[in-house]
Amino acid sequence: MTMVRFLARLGVLARFGSTDFGEVSRLDVGEYNDPDQFGAQYYVFSHDVRQGVVRFTSHAAEAPLLGTMAELVLRHQGAEYRAEAACTEAAPRADGRVAYVFEVQGQPRITASARERHGVDCLATALLLDALEQPE
């Protein structure tokens, strides 16, 4: 199984359920593999040892998210990452922001960036082509 990555690092917008984080920083999206099968009992999704993990820093959510399961969506220039996830960590930082960690259940649905999908270099053209393809 290969590691899945959402390549965007700056300017990524995040939403978890009804919580809109806006633009997040320190984004890290990938998978980890626990070499100890027995360590899986400590994870939210214990049916599989390999888990997707999304980490980012943002403003504090209005409602507590720890232990909550919802759809996590990341967006950047037409690229999208969607997955059912659980918030497993929400650690306050000295700068007033919060470092969040989400564990992803199953395979995320990743859409390539608009530039990549349409084969054009101009971001504005790619996003316009995306808008024209949207069903009414």
Side-chain angles (χ1 to χ4, degrees):
M1 185 181 277
T2 59
M3 302 230 340
V4 177
R5 289 271 186 210
F6 181 76
L7 298 177
R9 292 288 181 255
L10 300 173
V12 176
L13 302 175
R15 182 175 42 84
F16 179 66
S18 62
T19 303
D20 186 8
F21 290 102
E23 189 173 326
V24 297
S25 59
R26 298 178 164 234
L27 176 66
D28 180 36
V29 178
E31 294 180 345
Y32 65 86
N33 189 13
D34 179 15
D36 177 10
Q37 291 282 339
F38 297 107
Q41 65 186 319
Y42 298 109
Y43 298 141
V44 174
F45 306 110
S46 61
H47 64 274
D48 189 5
V49 176
R50 179 173 292 242
Q51 296 297 332
V53 175
V54 175
R55 293 180 174 95
F56 61 75
T57 302
S58 180
H59 60 81
E62 293 178 13
L65 299 180
L66 200 57
T68 304
M69 186 163 176
E71 182 179 49
L72 176 66
V73 180
L74 305 174
R75 288 193 174 106
H76 180 261
Q77 297 183 353
E80 189 174 77
Y81 176 100
R82 284 181 175 269
E84 284 299 314
C87 181
T88 58
E89 188 175 323
R93 296 172 34 97
D95 61 3
R97 295 171 67 84
V98 177
Y100 290 98
V101 178
F102 298 88
E103 288 190 15
V104 175
Q105 179 182 29
Q107 290 297 317
R109 295 174 307 282
I110 299 175
T111 304
S113 71
R115 287 179 180 163
E116 196 175 328
R117 282 184 282 114
H118 297 295
V120 296
D121 289 332
C122 177
L123 176 61
T125 302
L127 293 176
L128 175 63
L129 291 170
D130 263 3
L132 292 173
E133 287 182 352
Q134 296 296 322
E136 293 183 29

